Amino acid sequence: MDVSEIIIAGDTPGIEWRLPVFRFKGRTAAAPKTYIQAALHANELPGTALAHFLLQRLQQAEKDGAILGDITVVPQANPIGAAQSHFGELQGRFDLGSRTNFNRDSPLIALGDRDRLIDDLDRYSATDRLKRQLLHMALGADLMLDLHCDDEALQYAYIDDAFWPEAGDLASALDMEAVFLSDGESSAFEEAVAYAWKYETGQKKTRLPGRLSVTVELRGTRDVYPELARKDAEGVFRFLVARGVVTGDEETIAPFAGIVAPLDNIEMIRAPEAGAILFHRDIGESVKAGDLLATILTRPGLADGALEVRAPQDGLIVTRVSTRLARRRSDLMKIACAAPSSAVRKPGSLEA
Ligand SMILES: [Zn+2]
């Protein structure tokens, strides 16, 4: 295992960021190359815990001569975000300096322009340098896992439909309960990787066999426990075996049995007005159209001081917010459904 650091100059004197990178050299040039990063949203640590245990497992595999394809792991992809403690609260999702989401505004380039990502980095802010360095590493791979988590959530993933249904092996190996099929119209890290592959040649590709770029949502922000992290690391390892990146016990991965829903079929349940949130239903529950999901105490103590929020259609509750104070129109839940939502969705990602 080779451990190195990428050093990124800060935007002010005296600051520099260090990004540890772990690399394993594969024995077989033809085997898929893999890139795995965690905590690009710096407050999302389940993936960091996964990476810790996966690195141990990979070191053993290396000793056994079992690593076939090159593997790069970045367990904490965002030192800039991790340092943003604002009045005692970690702000790991948005760069405070530019107000941009660390997982949006990734450069959208064709694969052939990969090396230009890190040309003349002095022209860019620290956050943009970080995004470019990470994307540069990811575009050296065939398989890219970007490990995130939601607020309160089941295990699920965003997968571009160019990779489906082949990516069912990852979903099954990681025991996911849902897959959200995305349409490649955002600048999230995972989409930037897929974009580079789609536009590798003049003709846009709609299928990308042998490749995978995915945002894995490893449950909720508080789901950081040794047992879960070990289980998830084992799941990723099984996926790597299945894809021929490492040799291991040849167990077949069962077909994915969870819900597969295009983004149009995700009901984003929003608060109609501000108030305290009383949830009646939890993640993992199946609901019917009209079921009471939450009561919002808009004017506590008054006869008409509570509003009911009901399910627009049947579905599985995949995520729920952890805050108990709603702002008007703030998200409460994501429900994966069999039919498209009647709410208008902007192209791209579900959330800012
Ligand atoms: Zn995230």
Side-chain angles (χ1 to χ4, degrees), residues 76-90:
Q76 280 195 295
N78 187 356
I80 301 172
Q84 293 185 153
S85 181
H86 203 207
F87 300 109
E89 275 195 21
L90 176 59

Side-chain angles (χ1 to χ4, degrees), residues 70-150:
D70 294 354
I71 303 169
T72 303
V73 180
V74 180
Q76 280 195 295
N78 187 356
I80 301 172
Q84 293 185 153
S85 181
H86 203 207
F87 300 109
E89 275 195 21
L90 176 59
Q91 301 292 326
R93 188 174 179 85
F94 293 89
D95 172 31
L96 292 182
S98 63
R99 299 184 290 182
T100 54
N101 187 320
F102 285 110
N103 192 27
R104 301 286 185 274
D105 296 327
S106 300
L108 297 176
I109 58 151
L111 187 61
D113 292 331
R114 178 187 170 216
D115 283 336
R116 286 170 51 190
L117 282 170
I118 52 170
D119 269 358
D120 206 2
L121 282 173
D122 288 349
R123 290 178 294 163
Y124 301 101
S125 69
T127 295
D128 285 339
R129 287 179 200 209
L130 176 70
K131 289 178 180 177
R132 285 171 169 268
Q133 293 276 13
L134 294 173
L135 188 59
H136 183 262
M137 285 190 279
L139 290 181
D142 307 294
L143 307 172
M144 194 295 289
L145 311 186
D146 192 11
L147 305 178
H148 288 248
C149 66
D150 208 295

